[in-house]
Amino acid sequence: MGFSAADAVIPACAVIGIAFAAWQWFLVAKVKVSAYASTGNGGHGQPVFRQEDEEDEDNRIGRESDDEEDGGDGPAAVARCAEIQNAISVGANSFLFTQYKYLAAFTVIFAVVIFLFLGSVHRFSMASQPCQYTKGKMCKPALANAAFTTAAFLLGAVTSVVSGYLGMRIATFANARTTLEARRGIGAAFATAFRSGAVMGFLLSSLGLLVLYIAIKIFGLYYRDDWEGLYESITGYGLGGSSMALFGRVGGGIYTKAADVGADLVGKVERNIPEDDPRNPAVIADNVGDNVGDIAGMGSDLFGSYAESTCAALFVASISSFGADHDFAAVCYPLLISSAGLVVCLATTLFATDFFKVKTVDAVAPALKLQLLISTVLMTVAALVVTFAALPARFTMFDFGEEKQVRNWHLFLCVAIGLWAGLAIGFTTEYFTSNAYSPVRDVADSCRTGAATNVIFGLALGYKSVIVPVLAIAVSIYVSFTLASIYGIAIAALGMLSTVATGLAIDAYGPISDNAGGIAEMAGMSRRIRQRTDALDAAGNTTAAIGKGFAIGSAALVSLALFGAFVSRAGVTVINVLSPKVFAGMLVGGMLPYWFSAMTMKSVGSAALKMVEEVRRQFSTIPGLMEGRATPDYASCVRISTDASLREMMPPGALVLLAPLVTGTFFGVHTLAGLLAGALVSGVQVAISASNSGGAWDNAKKYIEAGASEHAKSLGPKGSEAHKAAVIGDTIGDPLKDTSGPSLNILIKLMAVESLVFAPFFAAHGGLIFN
């Protein structure tokens, strides 16, 4: 593949992805909330604007027996759906805009820090410097690298924020539409929720690819043939994206879990009312949290992973033989893999929405699992084509001071092992978090004897669930490093993330379905509608857990690739773990995930305490609230979550951002290398166990609530002692699976990419104490 071909393929695939997202948005937008109200027949008529005229099997079965309940699905319910959707949208918008004001101030300050630190490497000189890897050649001055790295940081931060915001807008647009489509059947509701997730997945993936490609081309106008400086400055893009993702994940996680825990403890345990009951004062805050935490935070998170893995791969490629030869197609192999991934994910999405439509409740979960399998198989074939089209038959890679001979098929194997390791992690996560399998059913059964045994079983499940993902990651690291050194690991990480559009679609589907069920409950819609939205939500819980496992697994590979790039840029050839500098750094690094988790867990607990007190106060002081004759003060609960989130997200963020800066500046690059290694090894395992324990507790509770088997019925119904024990386990797991666990993968990535960006400064002036 030549220079011009690569220049055409990358932006073309990005534009195709954006166009496909727009088409999916158009199909979702055809579900007009007002059109349902205007049918004037209690909601039984087919909306004239829908393309599909057939009713799915689930919609036909039992319709007559449920007709007596459908009085709640008429125009009044539709109007309530619109009101609730608007309240959720306004709350999410308000929180994100307030959060972004804080982040704007941080971004400006940190951009100045980047410029000053990197500019001081050669005392702000504008003189050209000898290249580090291409001997006998002069590269651009350090001050220029500082300026362009700062610009890339700002660009990455803005793209990450836009990604999160667009995701939130899509989700709040789609939630009520999914609820209303559930009146036509499970298939129509599934298609609406999944298409909305696809809008987010393709928009974010395409936007990230296109912005990065444009940045490379614009920066290249200045750097010209200095590819070392060009791709080193591009690493700031990953730092900007991951910095915003950290605050988005932590802030959104604190917001949503404070509301969720408060709503569950008082509503379900104390007052024995259903989840998402409109009498619960925290219910709007809970649904807002799904969008700012699980959608906006997750969008920024996976965008950050994509940006970091691509930047790490580009930097290592730029110091290889095809970087020295200025082979653009070969250097941009990571972008070509991502471009092929967009096309593969487009075809995969059509399998769920057009080729094999969901028509029964039992088909929902298999359809989502099939997305993962189909995208992995198709991407394996696409990676083979791209590899042999873009790469020379053999080339050399930088291997810590030495050169390693690599063949093009070696890199194909790296992509493939990353892909299939991601699938293995996803299916393992599903096994440990889905109530279709024995681990979660064992957790549910332990609720017979109270909350204590439930907690014990859930913790044990989380610890055990670490085994297979860690082995998969270890095999991926060994094989990819053996084949292509640190570049192989970066490519394996990119392989795992190459189908990120499908991963995001599946991930976003979960919170959208959860919100749809909440809206159905708050609007007082019929049992038939709630059963359908509950079925969508149940599948979404498992896919959300799969998404978190996928994100953590890819974060491990991304972090190691960034670690290797940092070591290379800092000029370190050997990391001796017996050195006291390195070993001390490893111990401290291994401690950081626990410190970080303690901060985020306590933040959720403190905010939840205030939420519980407020919900109790309203039930006690508002006459007629419990009887449904009065309206709760939703705004006060939204305010509690907002204030707590904005206040509590700063200390964990400061810990992550300051740890590499302080360590590198005062203790040097060897100690910093130990810190990164310790944080990686510890963080991955804490994150997996926390996420899976929380997911298992959540689905154990839903297993009891659904009562779909004789075993589940023996533990229920809602309000039983076993159910109350399950709710307590779920509330313990909420901050684990939605705040601390997902945020830890950003911790290990952000520390690594920050170390890479500041590596020139640490190499030149670091180690003030140890040196």
Side-chain angles (χ1 to χ4, degrees):
M1 182 181 292
F3 178 89
S4 58
D7 263 333
V9 168
I10 296 169
C13 288
V15 170
I16 289 172
I18 293 172
F20 185 72
W23 172 244
Q24 297 300 303
W25 175 279
F26 172 74
L27 293 178
V28 173
K30 290 175 73 175
V31 183
K32 306 292 185 183
V33 174
S34 59
Y36 275 94
S38 66
T39 58
N41 60 355
H44 291 295
Q46 291 283 346
V48 296
F49 48 80
R50 290 292 301 170
Q51 286 184 326
E52 298 91 354
D53 293 326
E54 73 274 12
E55 253 188 337
D56 61 48
E57 180 182 345
D58 176 74
N59 203 28
R60 293 193 299 268
I61 295 174
R63 169 174 283 280
E64 294 182 2
S65 64
D66 282 329
D67 277 348
E68 69 273 9
E69 299 182 33
D70 288 348
D73 298 343
V78 174
R80 288 195 295 273
C81 285
E83 292 172 3
I84 296 164
Q85 180 191 43
N86 183 64
I88 294 171
S89 181
V90 169
N93 263 309
S94 175
F95 170 76
L96 286 183
F97 276 116
T98 306
Q99 184 186 51
Y100 292 158
K101 290 177 184 177
Y102 283 81
L103 294 185
F106 157 78
T107 302
V108 172
I109 293 170
F110 203 68
V112 173
V113 171
I114 293 172
F115 180 77
L116 293 178
F117 271 60
L118 297 185
S120 66
V121 171
H122 292 291
R123 302 182 183 278
F124 299 96
S125 170
M126 283 298 295
S128 297
Q129 302 293 327
C131 295
Q132 182 173 352
Y133 302 99
T134 309
K135 303 304 179 184
K137 183 180 175 184
M138 300 299 288
C139 286
K140 299 296 183 182
L143 189 61
N145 289 347
F148 279 97
T149 302
T150 303
F153 167 78
L154 294 172
L155 191 61
V158 170
T159 308
S160 180
V161 165
V162 170
S163 297
Y165 181 75
L166 288 176
M168 182 278 297
R169 293 294 296 170
I170 292 162
T172 55
F173 181 82
N175 49 21
R177 286 168 168 79
T178 302
T179 304
L180 295 174
E181 282 291 80
R183 306 185 324 166
R184 297 188 60 244
I186 191 73
F190 172 82
T192 301
F194 190 78
R195 279 177 174 143
S196 304
V199 174
M200 178 179 173
F202 281 91
L203 199 57
L204 269 59
S205 304
S206 304
L207 187 65
L209 175 64
L210 188 61
V211 171
L212 183 56
Y213 171 79
I214 292 173
I216 290 171
K217 303 307 289 185
I218 292 176
F219 285 18
L221 297 177
Y222 170 78
Y223 279 100
R224 297 186 182 277
D225 62 345
D226 177 14
W227 283 19
E228 279 186 31
L230 168 62
Y231 291 105
E232 182 179 315
S233 65
I234 285 293
T235 58
Y237 184 74
L239 177 59
S242 206
S243 299
M244 298 300 103
L246 175 69
F247 290 108
R249 265 295 195 190
V250 173
I254 293 171
Y255 186 111
T256 184
K257 291 305 111 180
D260 197 2
V261 170
D264 283 355
L265 285 180
V266 182
K268 288 184 175 181
V269 177
E270 295 181 9
R271 295 286 173 167
N272 200 26
I273 60 177
E275 187 169 5
D276 295 313
D277 192 294
R279 294 172 290 177
N280 195 323
V283 72
I284 292 294
D286 185 12
N287 282 277
V288 170
D290 289 337
N291 293 285
V292 300
D294 294 341
I295 293 287
M298 175 195 63
S300 294
D301 180 4
L302 286 180
F303 164 76
S305 290
Y306 164 77
E308 288 160 331
S309 62
T310 307
C311 290
L314 288 171
F315 173 75
V316 178
S318 70
I319 58 177
S320 68
S321 62
F322 44 66
D325 296 340
H326 293 82
D327 185 344
F328 181 77
V331 170
C332 282
Y333 175 70
L335 298 182
L336 291 169
I337 288 291
S338 298
S339 302
L342 283 171
V343 177
V344 164
C345 291
L346 189 155
T348 304
T349 300
L350 297 178
F351 278 92
T353 58
D354 295 271
F355 299 155
F356 302 105
K357 295 180 181 180
V358 169
K359 294 189 177 182
T360 64
V361 168
D362 292 338
V364 174
L368 295 171
K369 286 174 61 177
L370 196 61
Q371 287 286 295
L372 293 173
L373 185 59
I374 292 173
S375 62
T376 301
V377 172
L378 293 180
M379 188 61 213
T380 303
V381 177
L384 183 66
V385 174
V386 171
T387 299
F388 284 93
L391 296 176
R394 62 174 64 229
F395 45 89
T396 58
M397 301 299 307
F398 181 82
D399 187 19
F400 300 105
E402 300 178 1
E403 290 188 347
K404 182 179 182 65
Q405 292 292 326
V406 181
R407 295 178 179 271
N408 52 11
W409 60 268
H410 290 171
L411 291 187
F412 162 70
L413 291 180
C414 292
V415 175
I417 196 166
L419 266 170
W420 288 92
L423 188 67
I425 292 170
F427 284 167
T428 302
T429 304
E430 184 211 13
Y431 174 73
F432 281 101
T433 58
S434 170
N435 56 31
Y437 303 104
S438 61
V440 170
R441 295 189 177 192
D442 289 342
V443 172
D445 193 67
S446 71
C447 295
R448 293 179 187 274
T449 51
T453 48
N454 180 29
V455 171
I456 292 169
F457 269 70
L459 288 174
L461 179 149
Y463 297 150
K464 189 176 181 180
S465 70
V466 171
I467 298 170
V468 173
V470 167
L471 289 176
I473 294 169
V475 170
S476 300
I477 290 171
Y478 178 80
V479 173
S480 55
F481 187 88
T482 301
L483 291 173
S485 188
I486 203 67
Y487 186 62
I489 296 175
I491 292 300
L494 205 63
M496 196 176 285
L497 289 165
S498 59
T499 56
V500 70
T502 294
L504 270 168
I506 294 172
D507 232 358
Y509 158 88
I512 291 170
S513 299
D514 189 6
N515 258 203
I519 291 172
E521 181 71 39
M522 285 185 279
M525 301 188 82
S526 68
R527 180 173 60 87
R528 180 163 53 86
I529 304 303
R530 294 196 298 272
Q531 286 176 334
R532 290 170 182 166
T533 57
D534 285 349
L536 296 176
D537 184 25
N541 277 332
T542 301
T543 59
I546 292 173
K548 291 184 180 79
F550 201 76
I552 294 166
S554 63
L557 294 179
V558 170
S559 180
L560 188 57
L562 292 166
F563 174 81
F566 156 72
V567 169
S568 300
R569 182 61 186 86
V572 177
T573 55
V574 176
I575 302 294
N576 181 7
V577 295
L578 296 179
S579 165
K581 296 180 183 179
V582 176
F583 196 78
M586 289 178 65
L587 282 177
V588 175
M591 171 271 295
L592 287 179
Y594 292 94
W595 189 1
F596 179 86
S597 297
M599 297 171 78
T600 53
M601 291 282 287
K602 187 177 180 181
S603 296
V604 172
S606 300
L609 183 63
K610 294 178 182 177
M611 187 69 71
V612 167
E613 291 173 347
E614 173 61 19
V615 175
R616 283 175 177 166
R617 183 195 67 79
Q618 292 196 34
F619 273 120
S620 301
T621 60
I622 299 178
L625 178 57
M626 191 63 190
E627 293 75 23
R629 298 195 308 269
T631 302
D633 180 8
Y634 297 124
S636 63
C637 292
V638 170
R639 189 164 51 250
I640 288 173
S641 275
T642 300
D643 293 344
S645 172
L646 297 176
R647 182 179 62 253
E648 300 288 349
M649 73 179 182
M650 293 303 176
L655 173 66
V656 176
L657 290 167
L658 290 177
L661 282 178
V662 171
T663 304
T665 301
F666 291 99
F667 302 102
V669 292
H670 287 84
T671 305
L672 179 54
L675 184 87
L676 297 178
L680 169 59
V681 171
S682 171
V684 168
Q685 304 188 58
V686 175
I688 293 173
S689 63
S691 294
N692 289 348
S693 286
W697 278 319
D698 188 7
N699 279 335
K701 176 200 69 176
K702 285 183 165 55
Y703 174 73
I704 295 173
E705 291 175 345
S709 66
E710 290 301 320
H711 177 245
K713 290 176 183 177
S714 71
L715 299 171
K718 291 182 181 181
S720 67
E721 291 303 313
H723 178 247
K724 289 181 178 179
V727 171
I728 291 172
D730 179 36
T731 55
I732 294 171
D734 275 337
L736 287 172
K737 71 181 176 67
D738 290 323
T739 307
S740 297
S743 300
L744 282 173
N745 69 70
I746 305 177
L747 175 144
I748 60 177
K749 294 181 301 180
L750 180 53
M751 288 175 59
V753 74
E754 183 183 7
S755 300
L756 172 59
V757 169
F758 285 94
F761 174 82
F762 296 148
H765 304 300
L768 297 179
I769 294 178
F770 280 179
N771 285 347

